[in-house]
Amino acid sequence: MRTQVGIVGAGPAGLLLSHLLALRGIDSVVVEIRSRAYCEARQRAGVLEDGSVRLLREAGLGGRLDREGLEHGGIYLQFAGERRHLDFRDLTGGRTVTVYAQTEVVKDLIAQRLADGGSIEFEAPVTAVAGLDSGRPVLAYTATGGRRQELACDVIAGCDGFHGICRPAIPPGLLTVTERDYPYAWLGILAGVPPSTDELIYCHHSDGFALHSLRTPHLSKLYFQVGSDEKIEDWPDRRIWDTLQRRFALPGWELKEGPVLDKGITPMRSFVSAPMRYGRLFLAGDAAHIVPPTGAKGLNLALADVTILADALEAFLLRGDERPAEAYSATCLARVWRATHFSWWMTSMLHRTPGADPMEAALQLAQLRYVTISRAAATSLAENYVGYPPLR
Ligand code: RFL
Ligand code: PHB
């Protein structure tokens, strides 16, 4: 079997890449270890930058996003017993973010690829990528029924997430990995209750961070900081709601409770592996970089990477111009490092480090006051949150 671009992973990065390539007349095959149902149900991100929304719309994927996505013109920062609003529209010349779950982006992409006759192999683990420094790389996978398949490609796109096999296929001496683990995690729930707020609330509390996000007018998404060694089994629903009630408490405001439909614990990590290309292998999304979720950047970075990659592969495969492919890694990494800094900064401003001295909280509160009082500081937060640099 052969294709122009072999894509490992049917997450947002791999699926959007396959779609963008099809729009350019480039053929691809997506190979995914999990089932379609699993990919469509995996609970993750929820916030799209305005550039991501525009990109999806321009790629013909805006139908349900425009009908069901919830546009947000700001966030609340809650600290020291007060809740302050940051107005992104006002601060950034009208830019906004949209709450539209990653599950929905993935469903839309899968439906579009299949309607367009695209190939996605589900339940097919990629076992090896080889010949990366040759002109004819090969992707080996196990197809349904246990058949071993080889796919000869012009290039391979490693869109297989943080735990995938593509990044480790690059000779270790050629990669520079820069990483930080944070000494806490997020416990997240999806709750069957209308949101208690009109905008996301990022909450600083002496017990630790909490976030009130949303999914639909009837579904809320809530997170709070827990220790990095916590087990979800030790968090019955009552304990979760009690923790959320304590952290968000504000006189005159009520946090509505409802059934917990999904819950999980996510570790917090900053990780950048460079370069994002080795020979005919291009890495995109979480396969190359991870940010802690506080800045809501991971999904947006994945979409930005493959937008740049689709242009680079068009130049390379259709016009024989390799310059954009040579610039791919550096072009992506400029955005990645900006988002890595922003996500680290938001994380450090809002979380309680176990065993921290009183200086930590005092500095955090000083910074939180500054970003809510100074227009310059508020603008910096806002332009990063809605996406910087704005995606073309
Ligand atoms: P994915 O989504 O991990 O997809 C990788 C795919 O590759 C498959 N795979 C393989 N397939 C075949 N063979 C193999 N050997 C394979 N190994 C792996 C996997 O099954 C999977 O389908 O990576 P991608 O496409 O790069 O997308 C990245 C995003 O998923 C991620 O960055 C975001 O979810 C991060 N994130 C957020 N990002 C935002 O922009 N805004 C947010 O609000 C936001 N909130 C979040 C988040 C991530 C979270 N978690 C759980 C990590 C909130 C949370 C709680
Ligand atoms: C989410 O809705 O899942 C979400 C929102 C904002 C974040 C992280 C996650 O910073």
Side-chain angles (χ1 to χ4, degrees), residues 76-373:
Y76 293 105
L77 288 174
Q78 180 173 334
F79 56 98
E82 284 183 54
R83 188 174 290 169
R84 304 271 186 85
H85 188 246
L86 287 193
D87 185 338
F88 294 163
R89 282 195 187 88
D90 173 44
L91 292 163
T92 65
R95 299 178 63 203
T96 58
V97 293
T98 295
V99 171
Y100 188 65
Q102 182 167 328
T103 46
E104 307 313 301
V105 175
V106 165
K107 282 182 209 161
D108 293 349
L109 281 164
I110 292 175
Q112 188 70 48
R113 283 313 291 133
L114 296 180
D116 292 344
S119 355
I120 312 176
E121 297 261 356
F122 289 104
E123 300 179 70
V126 173
T127 50
V129 288
L132 303 175
D133 51 3
S134 75
R136 223 359 110 72
V138 174
L139 189 159
Y141 65 97
T142 311
T144 33
R147 260 178 316 115
R148 192 183 136 78
Q149 285 283 0
E150 286 203 346
L151 188 59
C153 313
D154 294 326
V155 304
I156 292 177
C159 303
D160 50 347
F162 184 65
H163 300 287
I165 61 137
C166 289
R167 189 181 65 253
I170 300 179
L174 299 182
L175 286 182
T176 302
V177 169
T178 313
E179 65 183 316
R180 171 169 298 181
D181 284 334
Y182 298 82
Y184 33 76
W186 278 17
L187 192 157
I189 63 165
L190 181 68
V193 62
S196 303
T197 179
D198 57 337
E199 306 267 40
L200 274 69
I201 307 169
Y202 286 80
C203 177
H204 178 278
H205 189 277
S206 54
D207 290 353
F209 172 70
L211 169 64
H212 191 326
S213 182
L214 46 141
R215 283 294 176 267
T216 70
H218 311 287
L219 285 177
S220 299
K221 183 90 203 194
L222 296 119
Y223 299 94
F224 59 93
Q225 175 186 347
V226 295
S228 39
D229 51 359
E230 287 286 343
K231 302 272 169 295
I232 197 69
E233 301 75 54
D234 296 330
W235 287 89
D237 297 355
R238 190 62 257 153
R239 186 178 176 206
I240 291 175
W241 284 114
D242 288 346
T243 303
L244 288 166
Q245 291 290 1
R246 201 164 46 247
R247 296 205 189 166
F248 284 115
L250 201 66
W253 180 81
E254 188 202 351
L255 176 65
K256 292 186 289 254
E257 299 184 6
V260 174
L261 307 174
D262 185 82
K263 59 179 163 182
I265 293 182
T266 309
M268 308 272 284
R269 181 184 287 128
S270 297
F271 174 96
V272 181
S273 166
M276 291 170 59
R277 174 191 183 186
Y278 169 66
R280 294 284 179 115
L281 172 68
F282 295 81
L283 301 179
D286 280 13
H289 43 74
I290 297 277
V291 287
T294 326
K297 290 288 160 239
L299 169 60
N300 293 289
L301 286 177
L303 302 179
D305 284 354
V306 296
T307 305
I308 294 160
L309 184 54
D311 282 345
L313 294 181
E314 176 183 357
F316 181 41
L317 298 174
L318 300 187
R319 300 195 298 277
D321 174 5
E322 204 173 341
R323 283 169 303 177
E326 275 159 6
Y328 168 70
S329 179
T331 308
C332 291
L333 287 169
R335 172 183 297 278
V336 166
W337 274 111
R338 174 86 299 279
T340 301
H341 178 273
F342 177 65
S343 306
W344 161 81
W345 177 78
M346 286 284 280
T347 302
S348 311
M349 178 169 71
L350 288 162
H351 291 71
R352 181 180 180 281
T353 309
D357 62 11
M359 185 62 117
E360 179 184 80
L363 291 174
Q364 290 172 333
L365 292 172
Q367 185 65 18
L368 282 160
R369 267 183 222 111
Y370 183 50
V371 294
T372 50
I373 290 169

